[in-house]
Amino acid sequence: MATPSLREELRARALRLGFADLRIAPAEIAPARSLAYRRFVDEGRAGTMDWLARAPERRASPRGMWPEARTALVLGMNYGPKADPLPGLARRTAGYVSVYARGRDYHEVMKGRLKEVAGLLHRRTGAEVKVFVDTAPLLEKPLAQRAGLGWQGKHTNLVSRRHGSWLFLGTILTTAEIEADPAEGDHCGGCRRCVAACPTGAITRPYALDPRRCIAYLTIEHEGAIPEEFREAIGNRVYGCDDCLAVCPWNKFAHAATEVRLQAREEAEAPPLAELAALDEAGFAARFRGTPVRRIGLKRLRRNVLIAIGNSGERALAGAARAHLGDPDPVVAEAAGWAVGRLPGDGG
């Protein structure tokens, strides 16, 4: 069993590396959470995210993935915005990029630092360690709640009393036996702001999300045409959605990200739709290099931008949509036609 002094040394190292907190849990998931995951998959709510349904026995518990694991160190890194991001939804000629994607890719920022903490643990105990940042079949949010880092709110995301809804999670699994921190309880109370704020009704009831209706899923994970029933609600969101996170009352205790690489780039806060529509492959790669936006590719971004243009009501953007009517990708071409059909004519 690791000593209290090691626990504090690990936590201190994590804080020096820019993490907001480090908490400790047994390397196991409560059976109720495992059953909820299996029900989520069985009901088809994973949509086209086929990876969520693969090897369910591994995802149901950390020990299903690594039988020797005994302890999970769960770390959070704050990415809070400097101000409420939601006013950006009113900018009809600019795209809205989710707060988490306005800076560097958090995988790049966090993984090396997690390895430093894991390396310290290995040197002090000789125990085996494995590091994860959203890259393995690991149910991180239930682990984070068991470790006391926060709780899964009614929007199903993690909420912290100290950092609100703006936390990235990373996990270190180890064969070392380390005393766990107290679990965190649920502090949502009677609040339903996140449920009411969802533009597409994706939070079907408190603590239940249907990703197939979620704008984050539709603009990021979904590869095909976006169903027309959701397009108007997407507004100017070209990558992700923050509504349910941003309205959480616990954000009154949140603060802006201190890690420079996670802070928003100026060009990512309100990118002009006309500029985004004109990007070619080289321009897309240059503009979004090192950010989460890069992974969806130009075709998917074009689709999203064209939907935002169609929602803009701006006659001046009709030409930008027309330019893609003959796009070789049928999904992009269809989105362009939809956008043109919704905009006032410009005589072109």
Side-chain angles (χ1 to χ4, degrees):
M1 180 71 71
T3 64
S5 60
L6 175 59
R7 291 162 52 86
E8 293 313 309
E9 186 179 5
L10 292 167
R11 189 167 280 128
R13 176 65 63 87
L15 294 177
R16 286 199 300 273
L17 289 169
F19 290 100
D21 205 351
L22 178 154
R23 298 294 180 93
I24 298 170
E28 56 191 35
I29 298 292
R33 293 302 181 90
S34 297
L35 287 172
Y37 152 68
R38 290 179 181 271
R39 188 163 54 248
F40 173 88
V41 172
D42 291 344
E43 291 173 356
R45 284 186 281 156
T48 57
M49 296 183 290
D50 296 338
W51 47 271
L52 277 174
R54 294 190 202 118
E57 68 284 350
R58 298 184 68 207
R59 193 174 294 275
S61 168
R63 292 182 185 174
M65 183 174 61
W66 187 23
E68 293 76 25
R70 292 295 173 266
T71 303
L73 284 66
V74 188
L75 297 90
M77 184 171 280
N78 172 47
Y79 70 97
K82 293 179 180 178
D84 180 4
L86 296 186
L89 296 172
R91 303 184 68 165
R92 298 195 301 178
T93 61
Y96 183 95
V97 175
S98 181
V99 170
Y100 90 88
R102 296 178 183 181
R104 296 288 295 187
D105 190 325
Y106 66 96
H107 298 86
E108 295 178 13
V109 176
M110 293 178 69
K111 192 153 192 178
R113 301 180 193 193
L114 283 169
K115 287 181 177 179
E116 286 195 44
V117 178
L120 173 61
L121 174 60
H122 174 69
R123 290 192 300 274
R124 294 289 186 269
T125 66
E128 293 183 63
V129 293
K130 293 185 180 182
V131 168
F132 307 94
V133 190
D134 209 15
T135 53
L138 190 66
L139 298 179
E140 294 177 314
K141 288 180 284 188
L143 271 179
Q145 182 161 354
R146 175 60 186 84
L149 200 60
W151 71 96
Q152 282 190 262
K154 292 178 182 177
H155 48 26
T156 75
N157 291 292
L158 197 77
V159 184
S160 163
R161 287 190 284 182
R162 292 179 53 209
H163 306 286
S165 294
W166 313 109
L167 275 182
F168 292 130
L169 297 177
T171 305
I172 301 168
L173 294 182
T174 179
T175 56
E177 296 275 2
I178 307 177
E179 183 181 356
D181 288 302
E184 180 66 280
D186 188 310
H187 301 283
C188 286
C191 179
R192 295 173 58 96
R193 291 188 195 180
C194 59
V195 180
C198 181
T200 56
I203 306 173
T204 55
R205 63 183 186 277
Y207 309 105
L209 177 75
D210 187 342
R212 296 168 298 181
R213 303 182 63 88
C214 176
I215 292 174
Y217 164 79
L218 292 168
T219 58
I220 299 172
E221 303 294 344
H222 183 62
E223 293 186 21
I226 293 176
E228 287 199 34
E229 65 180 299
F230 303 126
R231 294 184 184 184
E232 187 172 348
I234 285 173
N236 68 336
R237 301 171 184 83
V238 298
Y239 186 95
C241 181
D242 294 313
D243 294 41
C244 66
L245 302 180
V247 300
C248 180
W250 285 101
N251 287 334
K252 65 185 177 183
F253 299 111
H255 53 85
T258 55
E259 167 54 51
V260 173
R261 292 196 292 168
L262 294 180
Q263 293 173 357
R265 299 176 179 181
E266 184 177 348
E267 65 270 21
E269 292 196 77
L273 292 174
E275 289 183 14
L276 295 179
L279 289 175
D280 58 12
E281 287 286 358
F284 171 76
R287 184 167 193 138
F288 295 109
R289 183 175 291 113
T291 76
V293 179
R294 185 75 173 87
R295 79 177 184 87
I296 69 170
L298 177 59
K299 292 178 182 178
R300 221 177 299 180
L301 181 68
R302 275 183 182 164
R303 175 203 63 187
N304 300 342
V305 169
L306 288 164
I307 289 173
I309 287 175
N311 288 327
S312 71
E314 292 291 324
R315 176 177 178 175
L317 289 173
R322 283 196 177 89
H324 291 288
L325 288 172
D327 195 285
D329 185 291
V331 172
V332 172
E334 186 277 331
W338 181 85
V340 168
R342 285 174 56 88
L343 292 174
D346 62 352

